[in-house]
Amino acid sequence: MTLHKVTRADAPSEDEALSSIAALAVPADQDRRSLAGDMYRLSQCGLLGALSRAGDPVQQATILRRIGRASLSVGRLAEGHMNAMKLILLYGTQAQVYRYSLEARQGMVFGVWGADDDPPVTVAADTGERLRLSGGKRFASGLGTVSRAVVTAGQAEGVRLAVADVTDAGRADAAAWDTSGMRATRSGRYDFDGITADALGAPGDYLREPHFQGGVWRYAAVQTGGLEALAEEVRQAVRAGGDPGEARLHRLARIVSLAHRARLLVEDAARQAEAPGAGAMAVALSLAAREEVETACLEGIALADRALGTRSFARGHRAEMIRRDLGFFLRQADLDGKLRMVGDTLCKADVPVGEIWSGR
């Protein structure tokens, strides 16, 4: 399904770009190539541009899901790019929106780096339009691929946002990223000591809802794509194995159903969280959708392990990479706190269950 036309004759189609990304995902996981070429393909075919500007949230969820299906690591960078551009559109000045949107159209990759290292990133000096930073970030996804990072910085008045040039390889420490999953994202450390960056918005803007917690539907969409990719590995294995037997058919039916349920939840969360005037209930739906996607993915991984057997654990097999990346990607900060927020919000509802998220 093509969502956006490409005007450049030499640009790949969406399907060509995604097929190439999927084919090169294992080499990227094995650190034999970076994700820069994949992000360039997404830019050239128009998918990254569609995530960079305001648009139909269900359509954007579909794009994130399709990218995640090709590669969860590329999906992580695409979601970060989308998040960064959304923050710039929300809180940037007219000049900033023009400048950074132009850079994005030219193929520059943006990201959001929020996890602090020790010492954390803080504002050392504030001139109004520019911030001088100190400290460092960890889990800085896309080292060597991301050129502009929207970073959080501590300040007495509240958390600040800044847009920083992060192309200095001497400040990056990719070796700090030593994980079993999502290895291709190169989410290491970056040193911000002495860097001067553009101030973005006002203190506290980053935590404003429904754009903060309400935006978790984006990475849930990427994760749903990973579940779909794992389900497709199971489907192909069942089809190729002669008489599949009742148990394998049951597992296939179950994992595909889980993926479909996850997709519907994410699409509804995207629609409600991005609607004008979205409030606490929409944020709660986005968080609840994330929880349900995690549950579906964990059950899907278990089903795939039973259906695929040792192939799920053979290095270099696409299914092994997907299950490893997906299992790691599901680990997000403060998951119990997110679920508590959902419960607290639901307790305050003045309508019964069945009407709360009906969209009426």
Side-chain angles (χ1 to χ4, degrees):
M1 178 181 65
T2 299
L3 298 176
H4 301 276
K5 292 181 179 179
V6 177
T7 56
R8 286 189 52 177
D10 59 341
S13 69
E14 293 172 7
D15 288 342
E16 288 170 342
L18 293 172
S19 294
S20 177
I21 290 169
L24 295 169
V26 171
D29 173 69
Q30 296 171 341
D31 202 25
R32 292 192 280 124
R33 57 181 298 274
S34 78
L35 300 183
D38 295 329
M39 296 301 288
Y40 180 74
R41 291 180 183 88
L42 291 180
S43 178
Q44 288 296 96
C45 77
L47 289 177
L48 206 57
L51 296 176
S52 300
R53 55 184 178 267
D56 176 9
V58 174
Q59 191 177 73
Q60 291 179 325
T62 300
I63 294 171
L64 289 171
R65 187 167 49 81
R66 294 180 72 203
I67 297 171
R69 196 162 66 220
S71 165
L72 283 166
S73 288
V74 176
R76 173 68 187 90
L77 296 195
E79 186 278 329
H81 179 89
M82 178 184 182
N83 190 11
M85 296 310 299
K86 184 174 182 64
L87 290 171
I88 290 168
L89 290 173
L90 282 169
Y91 306 124
T93 64
Q94 187 175 12
Q96 286 175 329
V97 170
Y98 176 81
R99 173 190 170 190
Y100 292 125
S101 296
L102 178 60
E103 289 183 344
R105 288 196 299 273
Q106 292 171 339
M108 192 169 286
V109 179
F110 287 67
V112 177
W113 294 353
D116 279 314
D117 202 1
D118 185 16
V121 171
T122 57
V123 177
D126 184 349
T127 65
E129 294 183 355
R130 302 280 284 173
L131 304 175
R132 184 163 57 82
L133 306 176
S134 65
K137 290 292 183 183
R138 60 193 182 104
F139 303 146
S141 294
L143 293 177
T145 297
V146 170
S147 297
R148 299 282 185 268
V150 176
V151 298
T152 54
Q155 194 177 35
E157 294 81 2
V159 175
R160 295 298 306 271
L161 288 174
V163 185
D165 182 322
V166 291
T167 57
D168 185 350
R171 292 178 173 272
D173 179 13
W177 186 241
D178 186 17
T179 61
S180 61
M182 302 294 283
R183 294 191 297 224
T185 62
R186 292 173 63 86
S187 303
R189 292 189 173 95
Y190 198 88
D191 177 14
F192 283 90
D193 269 337
I195 284 182
T196 301
D198 281 350
L200 181 66
D205 277 348
Y206 179 60
L207 302 179
R208 294 186 190 279
E209 297 294 359
H211 308 297
F212 181 54
Q213 297 280 23
V216 300
W217 66 264
R218 294 188 300 266
Y219 64 75
V222 179
Q223 292 163 351
T224 299
L227 177 58
E228 290 174 343
L230 199 57
E232 180 62 14
E233 291 295 316
V234 171
R235 190 176 79 93
Q236 293 298 338
V238 170
R239 290 177 63 182
D243 182 7
E246 186 174 2
R248 294 187 84 200
L249 289 174
H250 283 181
R251 290 175 190 130
L252 173 61
R254 180 60 183 158
I255 193 171
V256 173
S257 297
L258 287 169
H260 185 65
R261 182 182 77 184
R263 177 180 72 81
L264 294 177
L265 279 166
V266 168
E267 288 178 353
D268 194 27
R271 185 184 299 108
Q272 295 198 37
E274 300 301 323
M281 282 301 172
V283 174
L285 175 58
S286 192
L287 291 169
R290 192 229 66 85
E291 182 76 13
E292 288 305 306
V293 167
E294 178 185 347
T295 299
C297 288
L298 292 175
E299 184 176 346
I301 290 171
L303 287 165
D305 287 349
R306 293 293 296 271
L308 298 173
T310 56
R311 280 173 290 185
S312 282
F313 301 90
R315 291 191 180 276
H317 195 286
R318 180 167 165 79
E320 186 271 341
M321 177 194 67
I322 295 168
R323 72 182 302 283
R324 181 164 35 79
D325 282 355
L326 188 56
F328 184 83
F329 194 9
L330 292 170
R331 298 305 104 217
Q332 301 289 331
D334 192 27
L335 295 181
D336 290 339
K338 288 178 171 58
L339 196 56
R340 177 184 176 85
M341 185 182 297
V342 176
D344 286 344
T345 304
L346 292 174
C347 284
K348 298 171 183 175
D350 56 5
V351 293
V353 172
E355 304 297 330
I356 293 174
W357 289 324
S358 66
R360 297 175 183 172

